[in-house]
Amino acid sequence: APPKQAVHGRIDRREHAVAERTLAKGLNGAGKHEEAGRLAIQALETLPDDPECLVIGGAYLRSQGQLDTAIEYLTRAVAQMPDYVNAEQRLGAMLVDAGRLDEAGERFLALTRLRPRDAAAWQMVGAILAEQGQYAASLEYYQRALSLDGDDANTHYNLGFALARLERRDEARNHLRRAVALNPQDEAARQLLAELELP
C-alpha cells in the first residue's frame, strides 16, 4: 500500500488543481483571459484531461501565437466531451485560422448536429465549402442558416457571392441587396452588387 503521506499529497494536489480550474473559469468569465489561461495550464499538470482547462488554456495559447498546441488542446477537450459546444466552436475557428479547412468543416458539421438551430454553424460550413470552391454545395448550408436567422447580412452576402460564382445573377442580386439593406456599410456587398447590375 502507498504511504499515507503520498496519498495525502496526491489529494492535496488534486484539490489545488480543482481550485485553480475554478479560479481560471471565474477570471475567464471576467475577461481576464491571460491570467485564466495561465492558471488553466497550471491545473492541467494535475488534471491533464480536464475539458474546461483545455479550452481555457487552448484559447490562451492561441492568443500567444501557439496555434498548433491550441488546436491539440481543443481536440483533447472535444475527445473528452464530444458535446462540448464551446470547444467545438473554438476548435473549428482555430482550424480555419490554420488553413485546415476539411477538418474545420467537420467540426462545424458536428456543431450543426449538436445545435441544429445554430445559424452561425450552418453559415460556417457554407463558408468553408465556398472557400474550397464548392459553391453549389455551400448553398444548402447558407439557406439553412437563413431559415434560422433571415436577418444575417453576412449570410446574405455569402449566399449572394456563391450564387454569383454559379452565374445565378438574379438570385445573387436579391441576396446582395438584402445584405446591403441590413448592413449599409458592407462595401464588399455594395461592390459585388454594382458589378452584377452592370449590363
Side-chain angles (χ1 to χ4, degrees):
K4 190 182 276 188
Q5 213 171 6
V7 172
H8 186 67
R10 279 200 302 271
I11 291 169
D12 283 351
R13 279 198 304 278
R14 179 165 173 72
E15 285 175 3
H16 185 70
V18 169
E20 285 176 328
R21 176 185 63 197
T22 302
L23 182 54
K25 286 169 58 180
L27 288 167
N28 201 49
K32 297 182 178 182
H33 304 297
E34 196 166 320
E35 293 169 65
R38 285 197 299 265
L39 261 178
I41 289 169
Q42 259 177 248
L44 284 167
E45 291 173 19
T46 305
L47 306 169
D49 294 321
D50 183 84
E52 291 173 311
C53 288
L54 287 165
V55 170
I56 294 170
Y60 167 70
L61 290 169
R62 172 69 186 102
S63 75
Q64 301 300 303
Q66 297 180 46
L67 183 56
D68 289 340
T69 308
I71 288 171
E72 186 235 314
Y73 273 40
L74 272 290
T75 302
R76 284 167 52 200
V78 169
Q80 292 301 316
M81 287 180 63
D83 58 349
Y84 194 169
V85 170
N86 185 25
E88 284 285 6
Q89 289 170 323
R90 287 178 183 262
L91 179 55
M94 287 180 190
L95 289 165
V96 168
D97 289 346
R100 294 162 60 176
L101 297 181
D102 287 338
E103 293 169 79
E106 289 170 20
R107 298 276 52 110
F108 283 108
L109 268 175
L111 198 53
T112 65
R113 289 189 290 276
L114 289 173
R115 294 178 56 179
R117 302 201 52 76
D118 185 340
W122 292 99
Q123 198 271 142
M124 280 303 300
V125 176
I128 288 165
L129 289 167
E131 183 69 24
Q132 295 173 310
Q134 298 180 53
Y135 299 109
S138 75
L139 299 182
E140 74 172 283
Y141 295 97
Y142 289 143
Q143 288 162 343
R144 180 65 183 266
L146 286 175
S147 76
L148 296 166
D149 181 4
D151 290 332
D152 187 89
N154 195 41
T155 306
H156 279 287
Y157 168 76
N158 285 336
L159 180 53
F161 183 88
L163 288 163
R165 287 280 189 248
L166 294 168
E167 297 295 326
R168 292 166 61 176
R169 295 168 69 90
D170 288 341
E171 293 168 90
R173 281 192 290 265
N174 289 338
H175 285 286
L176 292 167
R177 285 187 195 111
R178 185 76 178 126
V180 170
L182 290 165
N183 180 10
Q185 286 76 44
D186 188 339
E187 286 305 316
R190 286 179 171 285
Q191 187 175 343
L192 183 54
L193 181 57
E195 289 170 20
L196 290 175
E197 286 180 336
L198 293 172

